[in-house]
Amino acid sequence: QVQLVESGGGLVQPGGSLRLSCAASGRFFSINAMGWYRQAPGLQRELVATITTGGNTNYADSVKGRFTISRDNAKNTVYLQMNSLKPEDAAVYYCKLDGRRYYYSGRADYWGQGTQVTVSS
């Protein structure tokens, strides 16, 4: 059974910081990348940041310079440090893992349940 558990969301004032964590449980033959996506009410889910096993990162333009994604491969955990938060960053943040459960299985995406981030004064 694969489970991704996010934590670290909450209420923060504009300009503040939060650190999200996502821990993946379950065995994987290989993990290609982990990442964060977000979805605000009435909008589509969008990419925030991703990081490969090798450490290559990709960020949405809207968060570059403010957010930092990192990863602990040994723990199958990904983090998102969010600084200088803006009201438009408010959303439910979802963790995603792109990997293969077994050597004979294809790549699949696994999603967490999401954690709410609210940015408001």
Side-chain angles (χ1 to χ4, degrees):
Q1 182 93 13
V2 174
Q3 191 173 16
L4 276 65
V5 179
E6 300 107 331
S7 61
L11 172 64
V12 63
Q13 293 185 342
S17 298
L18 282 175
R19 187 180 191 232
L20 305 183
S21 299
C22 171
S25 61
R27 298 184 65 178
F28 291 89
F29 174 72
S30 65
I31 297 175
N32 183 58
M34 297 183 74
W36 292 94
Y37 293 70
R38 67 187 181 188
Q39 188 168 19
L43 299 179
Q44 289 189 331
R45 191 172 298 187
E46 63 176 2
L47 177 146
V48 176
T50 61
I51 184 167
T52 67
T53 301
N56 294 320
T57 58
N58 181 45
Y59 293 93
D61 288 343
S62 59
V63 307
K64 284 181 181 176
R66 299 187 298 121
F67 291 11
T68 302
I69 190 170
S70 60
R71 178 173 168 178
D72 185 334
N73 291 333
K75 295 181 179 180
N76 287 345
T77 299
V78 63
Y79 306 95
L80 185 68
Q81 178 66 44
M82 305 186 293
N83 299 327
S84 302
L85 282 159
K86 304 175 181 180
E88 53 263 41
D89 294 317
V92 177
Y93 283 69
Y94 297 91
C95 173
K96 190 184 86 168
L97 184 153
D98 168 11
R100 295 169 61 189
R101 290 294 314 276
Y102 309 101
Y103 71 93
Y104 54 79
S105 60
R107 282 169 61 176
D109 291 336
Y110 301 88
W111 291 90
Q113 292 299 306
T115 184
Q116 178 71 50
V117 171
T118 303
V119 184
S120 175
S121 55

